[in-house]
Amino acid sequence: MFLLAMRSIRQRPGRFLATLLAAFLGAAIIMTFNSLHDTAARDGVDSTSAGTLTTAASVVGGYGSLLVFFAVASTLTVNVRQRAAELELLRRSGATPGQLRRMVVGEAVAVALVGAVPAIGAALLGGRALLDVFRDSGQVAGSVDHVFGPVALTTGVGVTLLASAGAAFLAVRRATGGSRRPGRARTLLGYAALVAGALSASATFAFSATDEALMAPAVYGAILLSVGFALRAPRLLGGVLDRLAPRGASGWLAVRNLRRRVADLAGTLMSLILFTAVSTATVTVQAVESDALAASGAVKSVDAKNLETLNYTVVGIIVVFVCVMLVNSLYAAATYRVREFGQQRLAGATPGQVLGMVGAEGLILTLTGVVCGTLAALAGIVPFTLVRSDRLLPTEFYGIAAAVIAVAATTTLGTSLATARRVLRTPAVGAVAVG
């Protein structure tokens, strides 16, 4: 099976590009921040600098691990579903479900390793740049030099390989019938995250307005709620589609295709929900806190500066990572649909109607993702604002939410339409033959 996996990668490397990019970005993020652990452990680093570096590495390293798993899982799920016919042929040729699982897991681990190796260089440069930010802001002493050591290397490569193997195992297990009730664990985890998020957000009211830990339960509550919504993504999208009354050929085709591809699109919807919730909640809460400190005339402590840097750094990473993964997954999904688009055109649909269908699909996905993400963010923002400033909703929220929604919509709709337009350049007959 290992030889078959290597042969599959060599024959059609293009199908693994999405997973390769996810592994590269994930490993780079994890190693960039975990290199701060190596830096903090170096002899001669003062306690304040070491505390700043360790906190940054611990917080963002955890986010990075979560992002890697979601990104790799979404790309591998699409990859396995697109290869359903190939896997079925291998099964009918005598391959057992266990052999197919080992083949797909072997492919995923090999691709993840190829992606993680060049990420070492990117993480080395990124770690140095990040340390410069902390030194320039006075949070880390200027004498501290960057160290890229065993903690960064082992965690970056190890987490990436484990996430790839686990995600591949789950994806192929479902595809080969090894899990008869694949939604049970996801449902339980989704409800657990929703309950934990609601409790965390509610815990904000137990703090005082000047408590340094006030931001934590609000932001973590929004994140947990977004994870809960993300895990329920297929059900959420299905519920939205059940309530739609499409108009026109493009609208009818969009709803029909979305119903058929709910499982494939779950990864895209999950990314949209997490991106919207985490970005909106974190930036809004930090903006309210900064404005409150400025209004009171208080000077920011070192801990407050560290937290502000971490918040904006986390959001920046999430924005870049999720945008790249959305572009990656949407491009791969649209490219795979070349045969479908060709069949629709041969059946009488015009290129304009096909583009309209893709646009409608993207719009439904975007609206579902940003609405769920915004609701999760508000669940954390409102308690924080009530405690910190006695207001129900901060004025900062509107501009931040508009910017986040604009990025999500531009990325999703722009990628979907641009890729579909490129695919439609292939003549309908040729597209069906190639597909």
Side-chain angles (χ1 to χ4, degrees), residues 12-93:
R12 299 189 65 180
R15 65 164 54 146
F16 300 101
L17 288 178
T19 304
L20 180 66
L21 181 58
F24 171 80
L25 290 173
I29 290 172
I30 293 174
M31 287 190 284
T32 293
F33 281 90
N34 280 335
S35 69
L36 300 183
H37 278 303
D38 294 309
T39 303
R42 182 177 181 178
D43 293 337
V45 177
D46 62 279
S47 58
T48 301
S49 298
T52 298
L53 295 170
T54 301
T55 301
S58 300
V59 173
V60 185
Y63 276 109
S65 300
L66 181 65
L67 287 172
V68 170
F69 183 80
F70 273 117
V72 174
S74 63
T75 57
L76 284 173
T77 298
V78 173
N79 180 291
V80 171
R81 288 183 181 277
Q82 290 176 348
R83 299 168 60 191
E86 173 190 335
L87 295 175
E88 179 62 18
L89 178 61
L90 288 172
R91 191 185 68 80
R92 291 181 181 275
S93 300

Side-chain angles (χ1 to χ4, degrees), residues 1-2 5 96-107 172:
M1 285 295 110
F2 178 78
T96 65
Q99 289 174 323
L100 294 179
R101 285 195 287 271
R102 287 193 292 273
M103 181 191 75
V104 175
V105 170
E107 292 172 353
V172 74

Side-chain angles (χ1 to χ4, degrees), residues 207-217 285-286 289 293 299-305 307 311 384 388:
F207 292 82
S208 66
T210 56
D211 200 312
E212 291 185 355
L214 178 62
M215 296 174 65
V285 167
Q286 181 60 61
E289 176 65 19
L293 284 174
V299 178
K300 287 184 180 179
S301 63
V302 174
D303 289 339
K305 289 181 179 180
L307 186 59
N311 284 335
F384 176 83
R388 190 71 174 93

Side-chain angles (χ1 to χ4, degrees), residues 97 104 109 127-128 134 145 150 207-208 246 259 301 327 358 362 392 398:
V104 175
V109 170
R128 290 175 178 171
F134 283 112
D145 293 324
F207 292 82
S208 66
R259 288 185 190 279
S301 63
V327 170
V358 173
L392 179 63
Y398 301 102

Side-chain angles (χ1 to χ4, degrees), residues 216-234:
V219 173
Y220 285 133
I223 293 172
L224 287 170
L225 286 169
S226 68
V227 170
F229 284 140
L231 291 171
R232 302 285 294 162

